[in-house]
Amino acid sequence: MGKALDGVRILDFTHVQSGPTCTQLLAWFGADVIKVERAGAGDITREQLRDLPDADSLYFTMLNGNKRSLTLDTKNPQGKRVLERMIRECDVLVENFAPGALDRMGFSWEHIQSLNPRLIVASVKGFGPGPYEDCKVYENVAQCVGGAASTTGFDDGPPVVSGAQIGDSGTGLHLALGIVTALFQRTHTGRGQKVLAAMQDGVLNLCRVKLRDQQRLERTGVMKEYPQFPNSAFGDAVPRAGNASGGGQPGWILKCKGWETDPNAYIYFIAQAPVWDRICKLIGREEWIDDPHFATPSARLPHLKDIFAEIEHWTMARTKFEAMAVLNRHDIPCGPILSMKEIANDASLRASGTIVEVEHPVRGKYLTVGNPIKLSDSPTEVTRSPMLGEHTDEVLAEFGYSETEIRSLRASGAI
Protein backbone atom coordinates (compact mmCIF):
# COMPACT_ATOMS: atom_id res chain seq x y z
CA MET A 1 0.00 0.00 0.00
CA GLY A 2 1.30 3.45 -0.93
CA LYS A 3 2.24 6.15 1.53
CA ALA A 4 -0.03 9.07 2.25
CA LEU A 5 2.32 11.61 0.61
CA ASP A 6 3.67 9.43 -2.19
CA GLY A 7 4.49 11.58 -5.21
CA VAL A 8 5.11 14.77 -3.22
CA ARG A 9 8.65 16.02 -3.82
CA ILE A 10 10.12 18.46 -1.29
CA LEU A 11 13.23 20.63 -1.50
CA ASP A 12 14.48 20.81 2.07
CA PHE A 13 16.64 23.87 2.72
CA THR A 14 16.23 23.57 6.48
CA HIS A 15 18.81 23.12 9.20
CA VAL A 16 19.11 22.63 12.96
CA GLN A 17 15.69 21.68 14.42
CA SER A 18 12.52 23.57 13.51
CA GLY A 19 12.60 22.97 9.75
CA PRO A 20 14.04 19.44 9.90
CA THR A 21 11.26 18.45 12.33
CA CYS A 22 8.73 19.54 9.72
CA THR A 23 10.36 17.84 6.74
CA GLN A 24 11.09 14.61 8.63
CA LEU A 25 7.41 14.31 9.52
CA LEU A 26 6.49 14.74 5.86
CA ALA A 27 9.13 12.16 4.91
CA TRP A 28 7.64 9.71 7.42
CA PHE A 29 4.35 10.10 5.58
CA GLY A 30 6.03 9.21 2.29
CA ALA A 31 7.12 12.50 0.74
CA ASP A 32 10.42 12.45 -1.16
CA VAL A 33 12.43 14.93 0.91
CA ILE A 34 15.65 16.11 -0.75
CA LYS A 35 17.85 17.78 1.85
CA VAL A 36 19.99 20.40 0.12
CA GLU A 37 23.29 20.96 1.94
CA ARG A 38 26.57 22.79 1.46
CA ALA A 39 29.33 20.57 0.10
CA GLY A 40 31.93 19.72 2.69
CA ALA A 41 29.89 21.05 5.60
CA GLY A 42 26.19 20.33 5.44
CA ASP A 43 23.69 20.95 8.19
CA ILE A 44 25.57 22.44 11.16
CA THR A 45 24.04 19.88 13.49
CA ARG A 46 26.01 17.09 11.80
CA GLU A 47 28.88 18.12 14.07
CA GLN A 48 27.08 19.65 17.05
CA LEU A 49 27.10 17.71 20.35
CA ARG A 50 28.98 14.78 18.82
CA ASP A 51 29.40 11.71 21.01
CA LEU A 52 31.43 9.81 18.38
CA PRO A 53 34.29 11.69 16.67
CA ASP A 54 33.71 10.53 13.08
CA ALA A 55 29.93 10.10 13.05
CA ASP A 56 27.12 12.56 12.45
CA SER A 57 25.74 13.69 15.79
CA LEU A 58 22.58 12.27 17.29
CA TYR A 59 21.18 15.79 16.97
CA PHE A 60 21.38 15.43 13.19
CA THR A 61 20.48 11.76 12.85
CA MET A 62 17.32 12.06 14.97
CA LEU A 63 15.98 14.96 12.89
CA ASN A 64 16.82 13.84 9.35
CA GLY A 65 15.73 10.25 8.92
CA ASN A 66 13.92 9.16 5.76
CA LYS A 67 15.53 11.95 3.69
CA ARG A 68 18.01 12.07 0.82
CA SER A 69 21.02 14.41 0.87
CA LEU A 70 22.20 16.46 -2.11
CA THR A 71 25.09 18.92 -1.92
CA LEU A 72 24.71 22.13 -3.90
CA ASP A 73 26.39 25.55 -4.01
CA THR A 74 23.62 27.98 -4.89
CA LYS A 75 26.13 30.84 -5.20
CA ASN A 76 27.76 29.02 -8.09
CA PRO A 77 26.07 29.99 -11.41
CA GLN A 78 25.75 26.34 -12.43
CA GLY A 79 24.49 25.44 -8.97
CA LYS A 80 21.86 28.15 -9.25
CA ARG A 81 20.68 26.71 -12.57
CA VAL A 82 20.42 23.27 -10.95
CA LEU A 83 18.23 24.72 -8.24
CA GLU A 84 16.03 26.46 -10.81
CA ARG A 85 15.48 23.13 -12.58
CA MET A 86 14.60 21.44 -9.31
CA ILE A 87 12.17 24.20 -8.37
CA ARG A 88 10.37 23.70 -11.68
CA GLU A 89 9.75 20.05 -10.86
CA CYS A 90 9.17 20.04 -7.09
CA ASP A 91 6.01 20.59 -5.06
CA VAL A 92 7.33 22.28 -1.92
CA LEU A 93 10.39 24.26 -0.85
CA VAL A 94 10.91 24.46 2.92
CA GLU A 95 13.41 26.84 4.53
CA ASN A 96 14.31 28.25 7.91
CA PHE A 97 17.02 30.68 6.82
CA ALA A 98 17.50 34.04 8.47
CA PRO A 99 14.95 36.62 7.27
CA GLY A 100 15.59 37.71 3.68
CA ALA A 101 18.09 34.95 2.88
CA LEU A 102 16.10 33.50 -0.04
CA ASP A 103 15.90 36.92 -1.66
CA ARG A 104 19.64 37.39 -1.26
CA MET A 105 20.18 34.02 -2.96
CA GLY A 106 18.26 35.37 -5.96
CA PHE A 107 15.14 33.34 -5.27
CA SER A 108 12.47 35.88 -4.44
CA TRP A 109 8.85 34.78 -4.31
CA GLU A 110 8.29 36.42 -7.69
CA HIS A 111 11.20 34.54 -9.30
CA ILE A 112 10.06 31.24 -7.78
CA GLN A 113 6.53 31.86 -9.06
CA SER A 114 7.88 32.48 -12.54
CA LEU A 115 9.67 29.13 -12.43
CA ASN A 116 6.82 27.13 -10.93
CA PRO A 117 3.51 28.78 -10.01
CA ARG A 118 2.41 25.54 -8.30
CA LEU A 119 5.32 25.52 -5.82
CA ILE A 120 4.55 25.94 -2.14
CA VAL A 121 7.23 27.88 -0.25
CA ALA A 122 7.11 27.14 3.46
CA SER A 123 9.14 29.06 6.01
CA VAL A 124 9.89 29.01 9.72
CA LYS A 125 10.70 32.43 11.10
CA GLY A 126 11.16 33.74 14.62
CA PHE A 127 8.44 36.39 14.44
CA GLY A 128 5.62 37.19 12.09
CA PRO A 129 5.15 40.61 10.46
CA GLY A 130 5.84 43.43 12.88
CA PRO A 131 8.67 45.25 14.62
CA TYR A 132 10.70 42.10 15.28
CA GLU A 133 10.26 40.23 12.00
CA ASP A 134 13.93 40.60 11.06
CA CYS A 135 15.20 39.17 14.36
CA LYS A 136 16.65 35.69 14.73
CA VAL A 137 14.99 33.41 17.27
CA TYR A 138 16.13 30.20 18.91
CA GLU A 139 14.26 27.65 21.03
CA ASN A 140 14.43 29.32 24.43
CA VAL A 141 13.90 32.78 22.98
CA ALA A 142 10.70 31.51 21.35
CA GLN A 143 9.49 30.11 24.67
CA CYS A 144 10.12 33.49 26.28
CA VAL A 145 8.43 35.68 23.66
CA GLY A 146 5.55 33.23 23.19
CA GLY A 147 4.37 33.34 26.80
CA ALA A 148 5.59 29.94 27.96
CA ALA A 149 8.49 31.00 30.22
CA SER A 150 6.57 33.68 32.13
CA THR A 151 3.91 31.13 33.09
CA THR A 152 6.24 28.19 33.86
CA GLY A 153 7.90 27.50 37.20
CA PHE A 154 7.00 28.38 40.76
CA ASP A 155 5.73 31.74 41.91
CA ASP A 156 8.72 32.40 44.17
CA GLY A 157 11.26 31.71 41.43
CA PRO A 158 12.34 33.04 38.02
CA PRO A 159 10.69 32.19 34.71
CA VAL A 160 11.58 28.69 33.47
CA VAL A 161 11.85 27.28 29.95
CA SER A 162 10.48 23.82 29.25
CA GLY A 163 12.56 20.78 28.37
CA ALA A 164 10.06 20.12 25.59
CA GLN A 165 11.19 21.86 22.40
CA ILE A 166 7.93 23.70 21.86
CA GLY A 167 9.65 26.55 20.03
CA ASP A 168 11.61 24.57 17.46
CA SER A 169 9.90 21.21 17.08
CA GLY A 170 6.50 22.66 18.01
CA THR A 171 6.74 25.22 15.22
CA GLY A 172 7.99 22.57 12.79
CA LEU A 173 4.86 20.54 13.45
CA HIS A 174 2.69 23.60 12.84
CA LEU A 175 4.51 24.20 9.54
CA ALA A 176 3.96 20.61 8.42
CA LEU A 177 0.21 21.04 8.89
CA GLY A 178 0.36 24.28 6.89
CA ILE A 179 2.18 22.54 4.04
CA VAL A 180 -0.29 19.66 3.86
CA THR A 181 -3.17 22.16 3.95
CA ALA A 182 -1.61 24.17 1.10
CA LEU A 183 -1.11 20.99 -0.92
CA PHE A 184 -4.78 20.15 -0.46
CA GLN A 185 -5.87 23.65 -1.48
CA ARG A 186 -3.68 23.39 -4.58
CA THR A 187 -5.77 20.46 -5.78
CA HIS A 188 -8.62 22.97 -6.15
CA THR A 189 -6.78 26.12 -7.24
CA GLY A 190 -3.75 24.76 -9.10
CA ARG A 191 -1.67 27.46 -7.39
CA GLY A 192 1.15 27.41 -4.90
CA GLN A 193 1.37 29.81 -2.00
CA LYS A 194 3.61 30.94 0.83
CA VAL A 195 3.24 29.21 4.20
CA LEU A 196 4.66 30.89 7.30
CA ALA A 197 5.02 29.47 10.78
CA ALA A 198 6.49 31.98 13.23
CA MET A 199 8.02 30.52 16.37
CA GLN A 200 6.44 33.14 18.63
CA ASP A 201 3.03 32.30 17.15
CA GLY A 202 3.57 28.56 17.51
CA VAL A 203 4.51 28.82 21.18
CA LEU A 204 1.56 31.13 21.87
CA ASN A 205 -0.78 28.65 20.21
CA LEU A 206 0.46 26.01 22.66
CA CYS A 207 -0.03 28.50 25.53
CA ARG A 208 -3.57 29.49 24.65
CA VAL A 209 -4.95 28.42 28.05
CA LYS A 210 -2.71 31.05 29.65
CA LEU A 211 -4.14 33.71 27.32
CA ARG A 212 -7.53 32.46 28.47
CA ASP A 213 -6.44 32.93 32.08
CA GLN A 214 -5.11 36.44 31.41
CA GLN A 215 -8.59 37.52 30.37
CA ARG A 216 -10.19 35.77 33.33
CA LEU A 217 -7.74 37.45 35.70
CA GLU A 218 -8.45 40.89 34.25
CA ARG A 219 -12.16 40.31 34.73
CA THR A 220 -12.20 38.73 38.21
CA GLY A 221 -8.84 39.57 39.80
CA VAL A 222 -8.44 36.01 41.06
CA MET A 223 -8.13 32.46 39.69
CA LYS A 224 -9.22 29.99 42.34
CA GLU A 225 -7.65 26.92 40.71
CA TYR A 226 -4.15 28.45 40.94
CA PRO A 227 -2.00 27.60 43.99
CA GLN A 228 -1.81 31.33 44.86
CA PHE A 229 -5.44 31.11 46.01
CA PRO A 230 -6.44 31.90 48.73
CA ASN A 231 -3.33 32.92 50.64
CA SER A 232 -1.44 35.01 48.06
CA ALA A 233 -2.37 38.07 46.04
CA PHE A 234 -2.62 38.02 42.25
CA GLY A 235 -0.88 40.65 40.16
CA ASP A 236 -2.00 41.99 36.79
CA ALA A 237 -0.49 39.13 34.73
CA VAL A 238 -0.96 35.37 34.81
CA PRO A 239 1.47 34.04 37.45
CA ARG A 240 3.60 30.91 37.44
CA ALA A 241 1.49 28.07 38.77
CA GLY A 242 4.00 25.36 39.73
CA ASN A 243 2.54 21.98 38.90
CA ALA A 244 -1.11 23.05 38.87
CA SER A 245 -2.99 21.61 35.92
CA GLY A 246 -4.18 24.94 34.57
CA GLY A 247 -7.68 23.58 34.02
CA GLY A 248 -10.74 22.47 35.88
CA GLN A 249 -9.13 19.30 37.24
CA PRO A 250 -6.81 20.11 40.19
CA GLY A 251 -3.49 18.27 39.93
CA TRP A 252 -0.04 18.25 41.51
CA ILE A 253 3.21 16.29 41.47
CA LEU A 254 3.63 14.17 44.60
CA LYS A 255 6.57 12.30 46.10
CA CYS A 256 6.66 8.53 45.90
CA LYS A 257 8.74 5.91 47.67
CA GLY A 258 12.43 6.46 46.98
CA TRP A 259 12.20 10.17 46.24
CA GLU A 260 15.13 10.89 48.56
CA THR A 261 17.59 9.30 46.09
CA ASP A 262 15.65 9.11 42.82
CA PRO A 263 14.91 12.55 41.29
CA ASN A 264 12.06 11.04 39.27
CA ALA A 265 10.29 9.08 42.03
CA TYR A 266 7.17 11.21 41.68
CA ILE A 267 3.66 10.88 40.30
CA TYR A 268 1.21 13.39 38.89
CA PHE A 269 -2.10 13.05 40.71
CA ILE A 270 -5.39 14.61 39.60
CA ALA A 271 -8.08 15.07 42.23
CA GLN A 272 -10.91 14.68 39.75
CA ALA A 273 -14.37 15.46 41.07
CA PRO A 274 -16.16 12.27 39.84
CA VAL A 275 -13.73 10.07 41.82
CA TRP A 276 -13.45 12.23 44.93
CA ASP A 277 -15.15 9.65 47.14
CA ARG A 278 -12.72 6.96 45.95
CA ILE A 279 -9.75 9.21 46.69
CA CYS A 280 -11.02 9.86 50.22
CA LYS A 281 -11.53 6.16 50.92
CA LEU A 282 -8.15 5.23 49.44
CA ILE A 283 -6.18 7.64 51.63
CA GLY A 284 -8.26 6.96 54.74
CA ARG A 285 -10.09 10.29 54.89
CA GLU A 286 -13.67 9.09 54.38
CA GLU A 287 -14.95 11.97 56.51
CA TRP A 288 -14.02 14.39 53.72
CA ILE A 289 -16.70 12.93 51.46
CA ASP A 290 -19.51 14.72 53.32
CA ASP A 291 -17.50 17.47 55.02
CA PRO A 292 -18.82 20.82 53.69
CA HIS A 293 -15.23 22.09 53.48
CA PHE A 294 -14.30 19.27 51.07
CA ALA A 295 -17.51 17.84 49.61
CA THR A 296 -17.68 19.96 46.43
CA PRO A 297 -15.04 21.05 43.92
CA SER A 298 -15.48 24.74 44.77
CA ALA A 299 -15.25 24.02 48.49
CA ARG A 300 -12.01 22.11 47.97
CA LEU A 301 -10.19 24.87 46.07
CA PRO A 302 -8.99 26.80 49.18
CA HIS A 303 -7.72 23.53 50.69
CA LEU A 304 -5.85 22.00 47.73
CA LYS A 305 -2.43 22.23 49.38
CA ASP A 306 -3.71 20.38 52.44
CA ILE A 307 -5.48 17.80 50.28
CA PHE A 308 -2.39 17.03 48.20
CA ALA A 309 -0.23 16.89 51.32
CA GLU A 310 -2.54 14.21 52.71
CA ILE A 311 -2.54 12.28 49.43
CA GLU A 312 1.26 12.50 49.39
CA HIS A 313 1.41 10.60 52.68
CA TRP A 314 -0.26 7.76 50.77
CA THR A 315 1.92 7.98 47.63
CA MET A 316 5.18 8.12 49.62
CA ALA A 317 4.50 4.61 50.91
CA ARG A 318 4.52 3.24 47.33
CA THR A 319 6.71 3.41 44.26
CA LYS A 320 5.32 5.48 41.43
CA PHE A 321 4.40 2.34 39.51
CA GLU A 322 2.73 0.71 42.53
CA ALA A 323 0.74 3.89 43.14
CA MET A 324 -0.27 4.08 39.47
CA ALA A 325 -1.47 0.45 39.47
CA VAL A 326 -3.72 1.08 42.48
CA LEU A 327 -5.00 4.44 41.23
CA ASN A 328 -5.83 3.06 37.78
CA ARG A 329 -7.94 0.32 39.33
CA HIS A 330 -10.03 3.09 40.86
CA ASP A 331 -10.07 5.21 37.66
CA ILE A 332 -8.17 8.00 39.41
CA PRO A 333 -6.18 9.96 36.78
CA CYS A 334 -2.43 9.88 37.37
CA GLY A 335 0.91 9.47 35.63
CA PRO A 336 4.39 8.57 36.85
CA ILE A 337 7.24 10.97 36.16
CA LEU A 338 9.19 8.94 33.60
CA SER A 339 12.90 9.62 33.09
CA MET A 340 14.34 9.59 29.59
CA LYS A 341 16.12 6.34 30.53
CA GLU A 342 12.80 4.73 31.46
CA ILE A 343 11.20 5.97 28.25
CA ALA A 344 14.10 4.69 26.13
CA ASN A 345 13.69 1.23 27.63
CA ASP A 346 9.88 1.12 27.50
CA ALA A 347 8.90 -2.04 25.62
CA SER A 348 5.43 -0.75 24.72
CA LEU A 349 6.84 2.43 23.13
CA ARG A 350 9.18 0.31 21.04
CA ALA A 351 6.36 -2.03 20.03
CA SER A 352 4.21 0.91 18.90
CA GLY A 353 7.02 2.50 16.89
CA THR A 354 7.20 5.57 19.11
CA ILE A 355 10.79 4.65 20.00
CA VAL A 356 12.76 3.10 17.14
CA GLU A 357 16.19 1.51 16.88
CA VAL A 358 17.94 2.36 13.60
CA GLU A 359 21.14 1.02 12.02
CA HIS A 360 23.65 3.60 10.77
CA PRO A 361 26.72 2.71 8.64
CA VAL A 362 29.10 4.77 10.79
CA ARG A 363 27.35 5.15 14.13
CA GLY A 364 25.93 1.66 14.37
CA LYS A 365 22.61 1.28 16.17
CA TYR A 366 20.97 4.33 17.71
CA LEU A 367 17.59 5.15 19.20
CA THR A 368 15.33 7.78 17.73
CA VAL A 369 11.74 8.86 17.97
CA GLY A 370 9.25 7.40 15.52
CA ASN A 371 6.24 9.03 13.94
CA PRO A 372 3.94 10.22 16.75
CA ILE A 373 1.00 10.17 14.33
CA LYS A 374 -0.19 6.72 13.35
CA LEU A 375 -2.14 6.14 10.11
CA SER A 376 -3.82 2.76 9.69
CA ASP A 377 -3.32 2.70 5.90
CA SER A 378 0.16 4.25 5.87
CA PRO A 379 2.42 2.77 8.55
CA THR A 380 5.72 4.58 9.02
CA GLU A 381 9.05 2.90 8.38
CA VAL A 382 11.80 4.95 10.02
CA THR A 383 15.05 4.87 8.05
CA ARG A 384 18.44 6.34 8.89
CA SER A 385 19.60 9.86 8.15
CA PRO A 386 21.64 10.32 4.95
CA MET A 387 25.38 10.80 4.74
CA LEU A 388 26.39 14.23 3.45
CA GLY A 389 25.75 14.31 -0.32
CA GLU A 390 24.96 10.61 -0.37
CA HIS A 391 22.23 10.96 -2.98
CA THR A 392 23.57 13.82 -5.10
CA ASP A 393 24.16 11.80 -8.26
CA GLU A 394 20.96 9.81 -7.83
CA VAL A 395 18.81 12.91 -7.40
CA LEU A 396 20.38 14.83 -10.28
CA ALA A 397 19.85 11.84 -12.58
CA GLU A 398 16.16 11.89 -11.66
CA PHE A 399 16.05 15.56 -12.69
CA GLY A 400 17.43 14.69 -16.11
CA TYR A 401 21.17 15.24 -15.70
CA SER A 402 23.44 12.84 -17.55
CA GLU A 403 26.58 11.32 -16.04
CA THR A 404 28.69 13.69 -18.11
CA GLU A 405 26.73 16.71 -16.87
CA ILE A 406 27.02 15.55 -13.27
CA ARG A 407 30.81 15.21 -13.65
CA SER A 408 30.91 18.72 -15.09
CA LEU A 409 28.89 20.11 -12.20
CA ARG A 410 31.23 18.45 -9.73
CA ALA A 411 34.29 19.83 -11.51
CA SER A 412 32.80 23.34 -11.37
CA GLY A 413 32.23 23.11 -7.62
CA ALA A 414 28.46 23.44 -8.06
CA ILE A 415 27.83 20.15 -6.22
Side-chain angles (χ1 to χ4, degrees):
M1 186 172 294
K3 297 288 187 179
L5 293 180
D6 270 350
V8 174
R9 184 179 273 174
I10 297 175
L11 277 175
D12 181 4
F13 274 93
T14 70
H15 56 286
V16 191
Q17 184 178 168
S18 58
T21 297
C22 166
T23 53
Q24 180 169 256
L25 183 63
L26 300 175
W28 281 338
F29 285 133
D32 177 16
V33 175
I34 302 167
K35 187 174 180 72
V36 183
E37 302 184 76
R38 289 183 299 127
D43 189 322
I44 192 173
T45 59
R46 285 185 181 270
E47 61 184 38
Q48 283 186 343
L49 305 175
R50 271 185 170 146
D51 58 317
L52 293 173
D54 299 319
D56 290 331
S57 72
L58 285 167
Y59 197 5
F60 177 85
T61 58
M62 294 177 69
L63 284 161
N64 291 283
N66 293 64
K67 304 177 185 180
R68 298 195 287 170
S69 173
L70 171 143
T71 54
L72 185 66
D73 181 1
T74 57
K75 295 179 181 179
N76 181 300
Q78 293 190 53
K80 185 174 181 178
R81 287 194 288 273
V82 171
L83 180 55
E84 288 178 337
R85 182 185 296 193
M86 297 177 78
I87 285 174
R88 289 188 182 97
E89 298 184 33
C90 284
D91 298 286
V92 185
L93 186 153
V94 189
E95 58 91 14
N96 61 338
F97 293 130
L102 267 185
D103 288 345
R104 292 191 293 272
M105 288 168 56
F107 288 90
S108 66
W109 171 244
E110 292 74 20
H111 181 48
I112 290 173
Q113 282 274 286
S114 71
L115 296 170
N116 181 358
R118 290 175 54 83
L119 189 77
I120 292 157
V121 176
S123 304
V124 172
K125 293 292 177 272
F127 295 92
Y132 306 114
E133 63 183 308
D134 293 330
C135 298
K136 290 183 179 180
V137 171
Y138 295 90
E139 171 64 47
N140 288 352
V141 175
Q143 291 194 33
C144 292
V145 299
S150 71
T151 55
T152 302
F154 289 87
D155 199 37
D156 58 354
V160 177
V161 296
S162 167
Q165 304 291 281
I166 61 175
D168 274 326
S169 286
T171 306
L173 297 175
H174 281 89
L175 186 66
L177 175 59
I179 290 169
V180 172
T181 303
L183 285 168
F184 180 78
Q185 187 171 17
R186 194 180 70 177
T187 64
H188 302 292
T189 67
R191 296 169 46 216
Q193 60 182 298
K194 291 188 285 186
V195 179
L196 170 66
M199 293 173 72
Q200 181 185 39
D201 300 0
V203 172
L204 177 58
N205 185 44
L206 299 176
C207 292
R208 67 176 65 184
V209 297
K210 299 301 182 180
L211 184 59
R212 171 204 68 191
D213 290 349
Q214 180 63 38
Q215 296 170 85
R216 293 172 56 229
L217 180 63
E218 290 173 358
R219 188 164 290 117
T220 66
V222 64
M223 292 182 292
K224 295 182 179 181
E225 78 283 3
Y226 273 59
Q228 286 79 1
F229 177 80
N231 300 315
S232 301
F234 287 84
D236 60 0
V238 173
R240 292 182 275 286
N243 293 315
S245 67
Q249 308 294 339
W252 202 255
I253 290 179
L254 306 177
K255 297 172 183 174
C256 290
K257 188 176 181 179
W259 68 272
E260 299 93 339
T261 57
D262 181 355
N264 296 299
Y266 291 81
I267 194 168
Y268 198 91
F269 188 106
I270 297 178
Q272 191 179 34
V275 294
W276 175 245
D277 58 338
R278 295 175 223 171
I279 294 172
C280 294
K281 292 174 182 176
L282 194 64
I283 66 173
R285 297 306 298 260
E286 290 90 341
E287 70 275 13
W288 281 357
I289 296 174
D290 299 315
D291 186 324
H293 293 97
F294 297 92
T296 65
S298 58
R300 289 193 287 275
L301 288 175
H303 308 292
L304 286 178
K305 288 185 178 179
D306 295 332
I307 289 170
F308 285 122
E310 194 69 23
I311 297 170
E312 192 171 57
H313 290 311
W314 183 88
T315 60
M316 287 174 65
R318 296 156 180 83
T319 69
K320 60 189 178 185
F321 296 111
E322 291 170 344
M324 184 181 184
V326 174
L327 295 172
N328 281 342
R329 286 200 295 270
H330 294 275
D331 290 326
I332 298 170
C334 66
I337 308 304
L338 296 180
S339 69
M340 291 311 299
K341 182 176 181 179
E342 289 168 322
I343 289 172
N345 294 322
D346 190 304
S348 65
L349 293 178
R350 294 198 182 206
S352 68
T354 300
I355 296 285
V356 182
E357 188 173 74
V358 179
E359 185 74 41
H360 188 277
V362 178
R363 168 172 291 282
K365 291 182 178 179
Y366 68 94
L367 287 184
T368 188
V369 295
N371 194 340
I373 304 167
K374 312 295 196 284
L375 300 184
S376 62
D377 283 359
S378 183
T380 299
E381 178 188 359
V382 176
T383 62
R384 68 169 175 86
S385 59
M387 308 298 286
L388 179 60
E390 178 179 352
H391 304 96
T392 299
D393 290 6
E394 172 184 292
V395 170
L396 291 178
E398 292 174 7
F399 281 87
Y401 285 91
S402 68
E403 291 184 12
T404 301
E405 288 172 317
I406 293 172
R407 284 195 297 270
S408 175
L409 288 169
R410 183 162 282 109
S412 74
I415 59 174

